[in-house]
Amino acid sequence: MALVASVRVPARVLLRAGARLPGAALGRTERAAGGGDGARRFGSQRVLVEPDAGAGVAVMKFKNPPVNSLSLEFLTELVISLEKLENDKSFRGVILTSGACPAGGCLVALTCDYRILADNPRYCIGLNETQLGIIAPFWLKDTLENTIGHRAAERALQLGLLFPPAEALQVGIVDQVVPEEQVQSTALSAIAQWMAIPDHARQLTKAMMRKATASRLVTQRDADVQNFVSFISKDSIQKSLQMYLERLKEEKG
């Protein structure tokens, strides 16, 4: 399944999803406004899916305010929604729309096949972990490096850069920057290009290109979790995180 990310947030295009997370049940189903033949939207507390079976595409909207943080509950609902679409062979593509795209939000966008960012100076995308006094895990580093290259990724990670639209396009972390009102229509046009390719050929090529990164994550997952817990539990790191949060409060105040 093809994935396109739209950020009006960034927009992402998804082409097939994976593993199941336990938990969360999907909520009620209802007819989608303007949906395709017999299309019914479904969702949960944090994820709304608006499918168009006629076009073979679904638009997935994140609604986990205030910043669509990637909590376990949110990720569980996201994976269940993707799995439901994946098991329905009438759908070949998914457009993800989200708001904030630093850190984990950036990773979600990077896993998609195509990324579209609204041309608004309030929106940015990047991995800003070092600004919090922590470091991006290797699987985040690998994914960013695969997208923008080693030198650009090294600079972005060391400085914790968040790229506004023009810079994001220049460095290659997004594929298009468009006016905010054109984000979804552009995503629909982009995903049509991906869906024009035979699924098996595109999916096998994607798996080939991303195999090394995915395999490294799977084989080192347990060690990565242990290292993160040990690192984040240090008093100095906790103090650094607290200082960052207090600075954010001052900026908002």
Side-chain angles (χ1 to χ4, degrees):
M1 190 161 58
L3 288 174
V4 171
S6 58
V7 179
R8 176 164 48 239
V9 282
R12 320 168 186 50
V13 174
L14 294 168
L15 290 171
R16 279 264 173 220
R20 171 188 290 275
L21 286 174
L26 293 175
R28 63 194 178 96
T29 300
E30 58 188 64
R31 187 171 299 279
D37 216 8
R40 289 185 174 276
R41 64 184 179 185
F42 62 89
S44 55
Q45 181 179 346
R46 301 169 182 85
V47 178
L48 176 66
V49 180
E50 297 181 344
D52 186 340
V57 175
V59 176
M60 186 172 291
K61 298 179 179 180
F62 298 166
K63 48 175 189 169
N64 191 29
V67 292
N68 287 326
S69 57
L70 303 184
S71 64
L72 177 60
E73 294 79 10
F74 170 81
L75 291 173
T76 299
E77 293 174 15
L78 172 62
V79 170
I80 290 174
S81 297
L82 286 171
E83 188 175 64
K84 183 172 183 177
L85 291 170
E86 188 174 23
N87 290 333
D88 185 339
K89 300 309 178 185
S90 61
F91 292 100
R92 297 176 55 219
V94 180
I95 295 172
L96 302 182
T97 67
S98 82
C101 274
C106 178
L107 175 64
V108 173
L110 290 174
T111 61
C112 293
D113 302 288
Y114 200 80
R115 289 164 293 280
I116 303 163
L117 180 62
D119 192 6
N120 187 318
R122 294 191 298 114
Y123 304 139
C124 57
I125 184 171
L127 301 176
N128 63 334
E129 279 78 358
T130 53
Q131 293 190 34
L132 284 72
I134 60 178
I135 61 172
F138 72 86
W139 38 272
L140 254 180
K141 183 273 295 182
D142 289 349
T143 306
L144 181 65
E145 185 178 350
N146 291 344
T147 304
I148 66 175
H150 183 92
R151 176 54 188 150
E154 180 181 15
R155 177 175 176 270
L157 288 169
Q158 286 200 46
L159 297 178
L161 297 179
L162 292 175
F163 297 99
E167 293 180 24
L169 182 63
Q170 182 178 26
V171 77
I173 201 169
V174 299
D175 299 292
Q176 274 187 270
V177 172
V178 300
E180 190 162 352
E181 66 276 9
Q182 297 178 20
V183 167
Q184 186 158 322
S185 61
T186 303
L188 288 167
S189 297
I191 203 168
Q193 181 180 16
W194 293 84
M195 291 170 60
I197 305 299
D199 287 344
H200 69 281
R202 185 188 47 72
Q203 290 167 6
L204 289 171
T205 301
K206 180 177 180 178
M208 175 180 65
M209 294 298 296
R210 302 190 183 193
K211 181 178 180 180
T213 299
S215 296
R216 187 174 180 222
L217 170 58
V218 171
T219 58
Q220 299 186 31
R221 178 179 296 168
D222 291 343
D224 177 63
V225 170
Q226 292 175 11
N227 290 337
F228 176 78
V229 171
S230 175
F231 177 79
I232 206 72
S233 299
K234 294 179 179 179
D235 290 342
S236 59
I237 303 302
Q238 288 294 312
K239 184 179 295 185
S240 178
L241 289 170
Q242 184 62 38
M243 291 174 60
Y244 179 78
L245 292 174
E246 290 175 354
R247 189 164 70 248
L248 284 180
K249 291 179 180 178
E250 292 176 359
E251 292 174 357
K252 292 181 179 178

